[in-house]
Structures are given as structure tokens and as C-alpha cells.
Amino acid sequence: MKSAVLDTSATKAMVKSAVNKGGIRRLRSRMAHGLTSEDDSPKVKAEIQEQSISDAPLQKHAETPAEAVSTCNNTTTKVKEEAVHDQAPLTSPKKLRRGRVKVEYEEEEGAELKRERWEPCDWRTQLSFIREMRSKRDAPVDQMGAEKCYDPEAPPEVRRYQVLISLMLSSQTKDHVTAGAMQRLRERDLSVDAVLKMDDETLGKLIYPVGFWRTKVKYIKQATALIQKEFNGDIPDTLEGLMRLPGVGPKMAHLAMDIAWNRVSGIGVDTHVHRISNRLGWTKKETKTPEETRRALEEWLPRDLWSEINWLLVGFGQQVCLPVAPLCSVCLNQHTCPSAHRLSPNKKLKSSPAKPTGNSPDHKLASPTAQVKDEPADTSLSRRRKNTVKQEVQLTSGEDGPSVLRKRNSRRAGPQQDRPLSSHGTQGTAET
């Protein structure tokens, strides 16, 4: 009986060991076939799983052979799935890139904008020197500029209209000529109604000899009619409205807003401001027109200096930084100005040829006596001189007064067609 029991237990043990050995072999073959191209990490994991499978029968002795086989199969599938899952990110051809994070700071942005803002070097020092040179206020613009040409006792709308007319007359005209024309107009009651009642010939006589006086007569009449019709007899109080007037450009409009309305809308750039700004290097690049200079200056110049800069540079250009041959030797900015001494080089006086002396071998050739002796006498010389004198100068008697001298030299007299009649009713005559 005992021997039968022993045989039965031995048979069961042999069956279990055979099943375990067969399952382990199949598992090894399948793993070797499916994991040939895998890395070392899945193989290590498979060996660990294999060891756990081999230990399973020892823990469960009551397990049947069918259950053991199913357990081995499930474990093998799980090992394969885990191996494939772990292998996917390792064999992927795409590599993850490290993302970039942009960090912004408000203080650093403001500092960067401040660094990017262009401004000329030494401009504050140059401006202080110009203020020092303009401290006496004795330039023509200080005495006869647009701020000095209107009637201070007139009504406010009349004063503003007179400021506009003085700016229109100042274009391409010296300040003393503009001041004289404004004085004559004020004597005839310079106002909107008075100008509309005035004919073109009378207005031309009063503003002559300003530059382009015929064109300015037409612009003044048209602008005055528009002011009366659309602005109730007062000049516009906006930059756009002022530029709608005929003959009014950006420079006049900005200056009119500043002087007449006491509002700073921009920098008034005329020929002096345009020239000096380019000479001092106050523009990022060289500008060709005053309007380009205005935009270049407004990009960096502080707004509280826009009203002062026109007055400073105009007087400075009239006294020191002249259009031709500027006085760089007396300018305080001669050491910081990029154009100093280049536009006004030291010109050498033309030396007259040396006169030959008595000991010179060419003394006989330079002697007028020897030349007169060698040349034949010209008997018609005196006759030609008399005819020339008669053609150039004539003694004429006028109907309204004593005799006057009239010169026939066309180069000195100039064209008389654009010159209006004088108050005496004569044209092109000069009193002696």
C-alpha cells in the first residue's frame, strides 16, 4: 500500500517537473525569437519574469498541468507586452526638443527702449552754448520777428490775424523787410474786413518789396476770404485748419499755433533751423527739406524745447552760423560741431602781382611811356569816350520837379516790370 502511494506521488512530481521544463523551454524559445533586436533592459526584465515563473510551481503544489501551462502563456504574453511598451520610446526616431521660455521684465523693456532711442551726442552742451550766445537777444528776429509785428492793443482775433499775415510775408524775406510791410499794413487797419475791401494793386504796393509779393497778394486775399467764410473772422485754432489756408505750410502753421494760440503742436523749421540742425549733426541722417528736419528733430528732442528751439536757432543763424562763411572761430561749439571750420576755411587774400622795379629787366616793358611811344596814336579815342558818356548818362528835366540824373545801365537798374509805382507817381527814378 505504501509503495503504491509512493509511486503515485513520484508520478505526479515527474509530471509537474516535465510540464515546468516544457513551459520554461517554450518561454525561452519565444523570448529568444521575439527579443533578438531588443536592448539589454528588456532581456533583464524577461529573465526576472522567467525566474518568477520557475518559482511558481514550488509555491503552488496543487496546481494542475493545464493551469501551469495557461499561467506560463499569460506570463509570457505579459512579458512581451511590457518589453514592447518599454522599448517604444527607446527606438523612436524623433527626439524631444527642449522648449524655450521667454522671460520678460518691465524694467528691462523700458531700459531697452531707452537704449534704442537715438539722440545726438553733446546736444545738451551745444544747446547751452547757443543759449549763451543768444543771451543778448540782439538778432533781427528778436526785434522784428512775428512776435513783434502785431498790434498789442488790437482785439484778440485781430492780433491773431496779424500774426498769420506776418508769417505769410516772412517766407523768403528778410525780417526788416517783413517788419516794414507790416508797419504799412497796420497803418491801413490790418484786419479781415479791411483786407477784403482792399484791391490787389493797393495791397501789392503796401507789401512790396517782400519776396514773391505778387503771389503773396493772391494767397492773402484767398486765405482772408476763407477765414471770413468758414471761421467767423478768426484764424483756425487747429493745425489742420491752418494748413487748409492758401499759402500756409507746416512751418507757418506750427508757429501760428505757438504765437497766436499759445499751443505747441510741433517745431517750426525754417531755413536757419534746417541748416544748423544738419551742421550740428542733430539729425540721424542728412535731411534734404525742412519738413524732413522737423520730423527728425521731433523724434528725439524733448517736447518742452519745441517752442524755444526755433527762436534760438533762427537768431543763431542770423548772427553766427551764417549760410555762407559761418563764423566758426567765434562760436562756442567749434570743438563739438562736426562741421566746424569746414564750411569757413581760412581764405587767403589774393595777392596783387609785384610791380617791377627800376633794376628789373622787364622795367621797360612795364613802363606805360614806352608802350605809348611804340603804339600809334588813336585819334578817335576822344570821340568814342564822348559818345559813351552821352549814352550812359543823360540830363533830363522832369515835369514835376527839377532835373534828375538817369542812368542807362541795365545791370544796375534791373527789371522794372515787377516794381510798383512809388508814392510820387514815378517809376524807376532816383533822386539826386
Side-chain angles (χ1 to χ4, degrees):
M1 185 71 180
K2 291 181 179 179
S3 61
V5 172
L6 292 173
D7 294 338
T8 304
S9 61
T11 304
K12 291 182 179 180
M14 292 175 62
V15 170
K16 288 183 180 179
S17 61
V19 171
N20 290 337
K21 289 181 180 180
I24 291 173
R25 290 193 189 96
R26 287 194 297 271
L27 179 61
R28 286 180 178 178
S29 63
R30 289 179 182 178
M31 290 180 63
H33 180 71
L35 300 178
T36 52
S37 60
E38 294 180 357
D39 297 334
D40 296 338
S41 55
K43 292 180 180 180
V44 173
K45 193 170 184 179
E47 291 176 0
I48 295 173
Q49 293 292 338
E50 181 180 350
Q51 183 179 0
S52 63
I53 292 170
S54 61
D55 296 338
L58 298 178
Q59 295 176 0
K60 297 180 180 180
H61 299 283
E63 195 176 22
T64 61
E67 292 178 352
V69 173
S70 62
T71 303
C72 295
N73 293 337
N74 294 336
T75 306
T76 306
T77 306
K78 184 176 179 181
V79 171
K80 287 185 177 181
E81 289 176 358
E82 289 181 0
V84 172
H85 179 71
D86 295 337
Q87 184 184 5
L90 297 175
T91 59
S92 178
K94 295 183 180 180
K95 295 182 180 179
L96 295 178
R97 296 182 180 179
R98 185 175 297 177
R100 297 181 181 180
V101 180
K102 184 178 181 181
V103 181
E104 297 180 355
Y105 301 94
E106 295 182 358
E107 295 181 358
E108 292 187 1
E109 284 183 358
E112 184 178 0
L113 292 175
K114 188 175 182 181
R115 288 194 299 269
E116 291 179 356
R117 181 183 176 184
W118 180 89
E119 62 179 24
C121 58
D122 299 331
W123 71 271
R124 296 185 183 275
T125 304
Q126 295 170 347
L127 184 62
S128 64
F129 283 151
I130 293 175
R131 286 197 183 108
E132 183 178 350
M133 290 182 283
R134 294 277 289 114
S135 60
K136 295 183 179 179
R137 296 176 177 266
D138 53 355
V141 69
D142 300 321
Q143 308 298 329
M144 296 170 286
E147 297 179 349
K148 305 293 182 180
C149 291
Y150 64 87
D151 186 5
E153 298 179 359
E157 63 274 7
V158 176
R159 291 201 303 265
R160 290 190 286 264
Y161 176 73
Q162 291 180 359
V163 169
L164 179 63
I165 296 300
S166 65
L167 290 171
M168 295 177 69
L169 295 177
S170 65
S171 177
Q172 303 292 325
T173 306
K174 299 291 185 181
D175 286 337
H176 67 276
V177 178
T178 303
M182 285 297 298
Q183 182 65 31
R184 293 189 294 271
L185 288 172
R186 287 170 52 188
E187 292 175 358
R188 299 289 298 268
D189 186 19
L190 180 57
S191 62
V192 174
D193 296 333
V195 171
L196 290 177
K197 295 177 182 178
M198 194 179 302
D199 58 291
D200 294 354
E201 184 179 358
T202 304
L203 182 59
K205 291 179 181 179
L206 293 176
I207 70 172
Y208 179 84
V210 298
F212 305 99
W213 64 273
R214 292 183 182 274
T215 304
K216 290 179 181 178
V217 167
K218 179 179 65 176
Y219 285 157
I220 289 174
K221 297 286 286 188
Q222 293 176 358
T224 306
L226 190 61
I227 290 172
Q228 180 68 26
K229 180 180 179 180
E230 298 188 11
F231 300 98
N232 298 324
D234 199 355
I235 67 173
D237 59 349
T238 61
L239 185 68
E240 295 77 11
L242 287 169
M243 294 184 64
R244 284 182 55 195
L245 302 176
V248 178
K251 181 202 76 171
M252 299 180 193
H254 289 301
L255 292 178
M257 289 294 297
D258 187 14
I259 300 172
W261 293 105
N262 196 21
R263 301 175 190 172
V264 179
S265 60
I267 302 175
V269 179
D270 64 347
T271 179
H272 296 288
V273 180
H274 171 64
R275 179 181 70 255
I276 296 172
S277 299
N278 280 274
R279 286 181 178 178
L280 291 174
W282 282 8
T283 56
K284 195 171 183 180
K285 61 180 181 179
E286 185 179 359
T287 56
K288 303 298 182 182
T289 61
E291 185 62 17
E292 292 181 10
T293 304
R294 181 189 66 82
R295 290 193 293 266
L297 290 176
E298 291 179 355
E299 288 180 356
W300 65 268
L301 189 67
R303 192 179 180 87
D304 56 350
L305 298 176
W306 287 7
S307 177
E308 180 189 13
I309 199 66
N310 177 270
W311 167 78
L312 284 174
L313 296 187
V314 169
F316 179 62
Q318 291 175 343
Q319 291 182 312
V320 180
C321 196
L322 306 176
V324 181
L327 306 178
C328 297
S329 58
V330 300
C331 180
L332 299 179
N333 290 321
Q334 58 178 312
H335 300 295
T336 59
C337 178
S339 305
H341 301 288
R342 291 193 303 175
L343 301 176
S344 59
N346 295 329
K347 297 182 179 180
K348 297 181 180 180
L349 296 177
K350 294 182 179 180
S351 58
S352 58
K355 296 182 179 180
T357 58
N359 298 330
S360 175
D362 299 334
H363 175 62
K364 294 183 180 180
L365 297 178
S367 177
T369 307
Q371 293 180 2
V372 170
K373 288 182 180 180
D374 295 337
E375 294 179 357
D378 190 357
T379 57
S380 62
L381 179 61
S382 60
R383 186 181 302 172
R384 286 187 305 203
R385 287 180 178 176
K386 290 181 181 180
N387 294 336
T388 304
V389 171
K390 288 182 180 180
Q391 292 177 0
E392 291 183 351
V393 181
Q394 285 185 346
L395 187 63
T396 60
S397 58
E399 297 177 0
D400 299 335
S403 300
V404 294
L405 281 176
R406 178 176 297 173
K407 296 184 178 181
R408 299 282 186 177
N409 192 348
S410 60
R411 289 177 298 178
R412 294 183 180 179
Q416 303 293 334
Q417 55 182 359
D418 288 342
R419 183 174 298 178
L421 297 176
S422 63
S423 59
H424 296 290
T426 60
Q427 180 177 358
T429 59
E431 295 183 359
T432 58

